Amino acid sequence: MNIPILRLAIRSLFGRARAILLFAIPLLLVALAVLLRATAGNAGTNPEDAPLVLVRTFGIGIVVPVIALIATTTLINSEFDDGSIIYLLTKPVSRLSIVASKALVVLVCTLVFAALPMTLAALLMIGTDADLWLGALLGGIVSSVAYAGIFTTLATLLNRSLVGCLIYWLVWESTLTSFISPAAWLSARAWGSSVLHAVADVGQKAHPPVWFGLVAAALCLVGGVVVAGRKLSHTTISDV
């Protein structure tokens, strides 16, 4: 890790207008949780209904990847688009350190603005019943780790990285995995949902197995940083 790059990444992340979305999206999640609790009455104590759907479908399925995508496009895509990456390429800094520092900021941002609000939403809806809050926290962490690695890799490897990230999320994660069951084994959303189902007492089987989701998410982050670092090490100023 490189402390100056971490500071630069954080300043860049919150110095753009899109940073407003980092606060607006989790606020929307919490507001929906409050609304659900206010309108559900005693029915809100059943985590197999609306609370679980909100955490799994809206939280892990939308909030986590959107926050990760906003952070990734701000820290990686935008620097390639406006040429500011040249500043880092001219410095005697390890390319792997550059990518790892940015991936860390993406991960922390996703945890703070997605995983933690999901936990708060679960607590607001049903409290500590059925450990839905713990499942939301751990499932959010697993998905955040996976998306940070996947989006960092795509943002570094592809020329139109934003399109690539959107295709992965909207086509693969949101569409194909819903119709092709084996595709869930390669889905960051499915890995997080698996942990959610295993930890929370919701009466649903974890699929894929929790151990597989944990290993896959870790491999995505570590492997993604290594691959992106190697790609950046072969990138010259003339390529930007």
Side-chain angles (χ1 to χ4, degrees), residues 111-209:
L111 293 176
V112 172
F113 292 99
L116 291 182
M118 283 168 48
T119 306
L120 177 59
L123 287 172
L124 289 173
M125 287 185 290
I126 62 171
T128 58
D129 292 349
D131 287 332
L132 181 62
W133 70 274
L134 183 58
L137 175 62
L138 298 180
I141 291 175
V142 170
S143 288
S144 296
V145 169
Y147 278 116
I150 293 170
F151 286 164
T152 296
T153 306
L154 294 176
T156 308
L157 295 181
L158 303 179
N159 292 329
R160 297 186 178 276
S161 53
L162 176 59
V163 176
C165 292
L166 287 174
I167 289 176
Y168 171 80
W169 173 42
L170 296 176
V171 177
W172 179 260
E173 292 275 1
S174 301
T175 304
L176 293 182
T177 56
S178 299
F179 298 100
I180 306 176
S181 181
W185 288 81
L186 299 176
S187 167
R189 181 179 65 174
W191 301 335
S193 298
S194 175
V195 174
L196 169 64
H197 293 160
V199 175
D201 183 17
V202 295
Q204 296 193 20
K205 182 180 178 180
H207 176 74

Side-chain angles (χ1 to χ4, degrees), residues 1 60 63-73 75-77 98-112 114-115 139-157 165 168-169 173 187-189 191 216-229:
M1 300 298 169
I60 294 178
V63 176
V64 172
V66 168
I67 295 296
L69 183 60
I70 292 173
T72 304
T73 54
L75 297 180
I76 300 179
N77 298 62
I98 293 175
V99 174
S101 298
K102 290 181 177 295
L104 177 61
V105 175
V106 172
L107 174 58
V108 173
C109 176
T110 310
L111 293 176
V112 172
I141 291 175
V142 170
S143 288
S144 296
V145 169
Y147 278 116
I150 293 170
F151 286 164
T152 296
T153 306
L154 294 176
T156 308
L157 295 181
C165 292
Y168 171 80
W169 173 42
E173 292 275 1
S187 167
R189 181 179 65 174
W191 301 335
L219 287 177
C220 281
L221 181 60
V222 176
V225 169
V226 172
V227 171

Side-chain angles (χ1 to χ4, degrees), residues 85-97:
I85 189 66
I86 294 177
Y87 172 79
L88 293 177
L89 294 178
T90 57
K91 299 297 180 181
V93 181
S94 166
R95 302 299 187 256
L96 181 61
S97 177

Side-chain angles (χ1 to χ4, degrees), residues 52-82:
L52 175 62
V53 172
L54 181 65
V55 170
R56 182 184 59 202
T57 304
F58 187 66
I60 294 178
I62 297 178
V63 176
V64 172
V66 168
I67 295 296
L69 183 60
I70 292 173
T72 304
T73 54
T74 300
L75 297 180
I76 300 179
N77 298 62
S78 297
E79 291 195 349
F80 277 97
D81 293 339
D82 60 22

